């Protein structure tokens, strides 16, 4: 994840000179001395043993036989590196803490405490693990500009980014476990600025932003964690979980699945950091936009808006009571629609109209006296009428309408044909 193999290898190289320098040189009067030849031989055997298990056994024998050695610092360092080689995080951290008690700036000890924080906390959610990891990572960052002992400036320039990256990720992880969401967000963002492609950090950052109700960012980073498959990608199970979270939260936030692949997934695949102009409309924003669009539409066609309101109420469970109390025998303001049919075909007394969509009949107009002539289906008419009755299946409202309340009728009575008289002819 952080190219740790390179850092760990470097640590092993750095530690070796530290131990070697503590070996007694011939005639070295100012150096610590072994108690006897047996201790010196045991020490030599330990430093030459490449098997971490047998080296540990020799270290334990050294500690038992020579508890008050003058080479205590070297022994503590050897314990630390041996436990690391054996992949014993708990023991390694305990060895590191022993070193730090005497030298709070020992880089190797600080590094391994930080390195094992996540795995140890995963096995035992102890606040103490977070505390010691926090102190180690913070200490490393405070000294990050200075190479560790025995490390050349040019070597540290190459390795420092990996160490610094790990420190910020660990501080973000620790803050996340403590539910300090703003601090976790800050550290994760710093790490992504240093190294943008990191699936697990994307996944954690999604949670950190989600708990702060910063949902567009959370959705983006979950989608990023779920779709990124390059170096340092999250494992497949985490990728699936992340993409599922992104899709679920998007639907909740946006109100539907519409646009998820285009708005979120496409951008998450193409960029590692959420764009500044990244925007996901909320369900409420969409609802408000739709309401405004409908209001604008209603303002342009108030007759249709009124009819939809009446029709919706009549089709509801309260329709019958509303019709009886508020519509029946009351003059309804102007409504508008298109002719579906007339009866009879000429001089009709009944007009069937479609008010909502222009084709589906939903209103019947009745007149006491016949209307002049006829009009064709599709002719647009408006009227003010008094409702007499209605049905819901099929939906139909019957209005009584006076001739002077009907507008747009263009039918005219056909003039009577002239009477032809026979012409009287004379007989010849």
């Amino acid at each position: 994840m952080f190219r740790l193999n390179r850092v760990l290898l470097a640590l092993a190289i750095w530690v070796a000179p530290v131990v070697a320098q503590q070996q007694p040189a011939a005639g070295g009067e100012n150096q610590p001395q072994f108690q006897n030849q047996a201790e010196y031989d045991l020490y030599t055997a330990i430093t030459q043993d490449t098997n971490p298990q047998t080296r540990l056994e020799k270290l334990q024998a050294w500690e038992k036989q020579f508890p008050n050695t003058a080479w205590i610092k070297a022994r503590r360092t050897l314990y630390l590196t041996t436990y690391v080689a054996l992949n014993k995080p708990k023991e390694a951290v305990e060895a590191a803490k022993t070193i730090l008690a005497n030298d709070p700036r020992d880089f190797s000890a600080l590094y391994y405490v930080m390195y094992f924080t996540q795995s140890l906390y995963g096995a035992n959610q102890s606040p103490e693990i977070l505390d010691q990891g926090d102190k180690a990572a913070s200490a490393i960052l405070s000294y990050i500009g200075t190479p560790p002992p025995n490390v050349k400036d040019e070597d540290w320039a190459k390795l420092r980014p990996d160490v610094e990256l790990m420190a910020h990720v660990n501080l973000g992880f620790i803050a996340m476990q403590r539910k300090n969401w703003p601090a976790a967000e800050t550290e994760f963002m710093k790490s992504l600025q240093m190294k943008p492609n990191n699936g697990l950090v994307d996944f954690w950052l999604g949670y950190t932003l989600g708990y702060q109700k910063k949902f567009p960012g959370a959705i983006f980073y979950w989608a990023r964690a779920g779709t990124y498959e390059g170096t340092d990608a999250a494992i497949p199970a985490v990728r699936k979980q992340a993409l599922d979270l992104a899709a679920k939260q998007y639907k909740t936030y946006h109100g539907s699945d519409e646009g998820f692949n285009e708005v979120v997934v496409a951008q998450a695949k193409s960029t590692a950091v959420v764009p500044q102009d990244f925007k996901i409309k909320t369900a409420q924003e969409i609802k408000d936009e739709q309401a405004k669009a409908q209001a604008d539409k209603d303002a342009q066609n108030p007759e249709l808006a009124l009819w939809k309101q009446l029709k919706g109420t009549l089709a509801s469970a309260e329709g019958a009571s509303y019709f009886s109390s508020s519509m029946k025998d009351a003059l309804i303001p102007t409504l508008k629609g298109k002719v579906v049919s007339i009866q009879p075909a000429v001089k009709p007394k009944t007009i069937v109209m479609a008010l909502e969509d222009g084709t589906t009949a939903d209103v019947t107009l009745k007149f006491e006296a016949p209307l002049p002539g006829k009009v064709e289906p599709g002719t647009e008419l408006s009227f003010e009428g008094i409702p007499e009755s209605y049905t819901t299946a099929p939906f139909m409202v019957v209005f009584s309408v006076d001739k002077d309340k009907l507008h747009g009728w263009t039918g005219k009575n056909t003039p009577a044909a002239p009477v032809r008289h026979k012409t009287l002819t004379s007989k010849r």
Side-chain angles (χ1 to χ4, degrees):
M1 181 174 175
F2 305 105
R3 293 172 295 194
L4 294 181
N5 289 338
R6 188 170 75 175
V7 177
L8 294 177
L9 177 60
L11 275 176
I13 295 172
W14 300 340
V15 168
V18 173
V19 175
Q21 287 172 9
Q22 295 174 5
Q23 295 188 41
E29 297 180 356
N30 295 326
Q31 288 188 339
Q33 298 296 312
F34 289 107
Q35 295 182 23
N36 52 40
Q37 186 64 39
E39 183 185 8
Y40 177 77
D41 292 342
L42 184 54
Y43 174 85
T44 302
I46 292 170
T47 57
Q48 293 176 353
D49 192 342
T50 58
N51 184 321
Q53 183 58 51
T54 54
R55 185 166 69 246
L56 176 61
E57 294 170 0
K58 292 182 177 71
L59 276 168
Q60 292 168 338
W62 182 18
E63 183 177 19
K64 182 177 180 180
Q65 297 174 32
F66 303 94
N68 298 318
T69 181
W71 294 87
I72 188 64
K73 183 176 181 179
R75 186 160 68 194
R76 288 168 180 162
T77 302
L78 286 166
Y79 261 122
L80 171 61
T81 56
T82 301
Y83 282 130
V84 170
L86 288 169
N87 193 26
K88 291 180 176 290
K90 184 177 179 181
E91 291 81 356
V93 169
E94 288 302 318
K97 289 163 64 177
T98 302
I99 294 172
L100 293 172
N102 293 274
D103 181 4
R105 293 188 57 167
D106 186 277
F107 179 84
S108 296
L110 290 171
Y111 181 85
Y112 283 120
V113 170
M114 177 178 70
Y115 175 68
F116 287 119
T117 294
Q118 292 179 35
S119 60
L120 286 177
Y121 189 77
N124 176 15
Q125 285 75 47
S126 168
E128 181 184 356
I129 294 173
L130 298 180
D131 292 342
Q132 64 195 28
D134 188 348
K135 292 177 182 177
S138 298
I140 283 177
L141 288 176
S142 68
Y143 310 138
I144 200 71
T146 303
N150 306 301
V151 180
K152 296 178 181 179
D153 289 345
E154 58 269 26
D155 292 334
W156 181 238
K158 296 176 183 178
L159 296 171
R160 169 180 166 172
D162 292 341
V163 176
E164 190 171 3
L165 176 64
M166 179 192 281
H168 285 299
V169 171
N170 270 273
L171 289 175
F173 172 83
I174 292 165
M176 180 175 66
Q177 302 306 322
R178 291 171 171 171
K179 296 182 170 51
N180 185 346
W181 310 120
E185 177 187 354
T186 297
E187 295 298 337
F188 288 145
M189 288 303 298
K190 285 181 181 178
S191 73
L192 289 178
Q193 288 166 2
M194 296 178 65
K195 187 175 183 299
N197 297 321
N198 195 313
L200 188 57
V201 172
D202 290 329
F203 184 59
W204 288 340
L205 183 54
Y207 273 108
T208 298
L209 295 172
Y211 275 108
Q212 296 179 83
K213 301 189 183 304
K214 297 179 179 181
F215 292 114
I219 293 167
F220 175 88
Y221 282 108
W222 278 327
R224 177 67 182 172
T227 56
Y228 175 65
E229 297 180 347
T231 303
D232 293 330
I235 62 174
V238 172
R239 290 204 301 270
K240 181 180 184 308
Q241 183 182 358
L243 196 58
D244 289 346
L245 277 170
K248 181 179 179 180
Q249 188 58 57
Y250 179 89
K251 185 174 183 178
T252 300
Y253 186 80
H254 183 67
S256 72
D257 296 324
E258 184 180 1
F260 176 66
N261 289 326
E262 298 78 8
V263 174
V264 179
V265 174
Q267 291 199 63
K269 284 183 176 181
S270 63
T271 182
V273 180
V274 61
Q276 290 185 349
D277 59 350
F278 183 73
K279 170 72 174 175
I280 299 174
K281 290 182 179 179
T282 67
Q284 186 60 50
E285 286 174 335
I286 295 172
K287 184 177 179 180
D288 292 344
E289 288 178 358
Q290 292 173 341
K292 185 180 183 303
Q294 186 61 51
D296 292 342
K297 188 176 180 180
D298 291 347
Q300 296 174 3
N301 193 343
E303 297 90 352
L304 179 59
L306 174 60
W307 175 241
K308 285 184 175 181
Q309 180 181 355
L310 293 172
K311 189 173 182 179
T313 303
L314 293 175
S316 69
E318 294 78 26
S321 61
Y322 177 79
F323 183 83
S324 299
S325 63
S326 302
M327 285 185 65
K328 186 175 175 60
D329 300 329
L331 182 65
I332 302 300
T334 303
L335 297 172
K336 182 168 62 176
K338 293 183 179 181
V339 174
V340 175
S341 63
I342 59 176
Q343 297 174 358
V346 180
K347 295 183 179 182
K349 296 181 67 175
T350 301
I351 304 175
V352 178
M353 297 183 65
L355 271 59
E356 184 168 359
D357 61 12
T359 58
T360 305
D362 47 17
V363 161
T364 299
L365 309 184
K366 291 188 175 182
F367 301 85
E368 289 188 1
L371 299 170
K374 67 175 184 176
V375 296
E376 296 300 321
T379 300
E380 188 172 80
L381 302 175
S382 61
F383 67 93
E384 298 91 45
I386 298 174
E388 293 182 350
S389 63
Y390 88 103
T391 58
T392 56
F395 189 90
M396 179 64 66
V397 180
V398 179
F399 287 86
S400 174
V401 182
D402 293 336
K403 280 186 178 182
D404 61 349
K405 299 296 184 183
L406 179 68
H407 316 290
W409 183 267
T410 58
K412 296 180 180 179
N413 286 327
T414 304
V419 179
R420 293 179 179 269
H421 298 282
K422 293 181 179 179
T423 302
L424 181 62
T425 60
S426 60
K427 294 181 181 181
R428 293 186 179 180

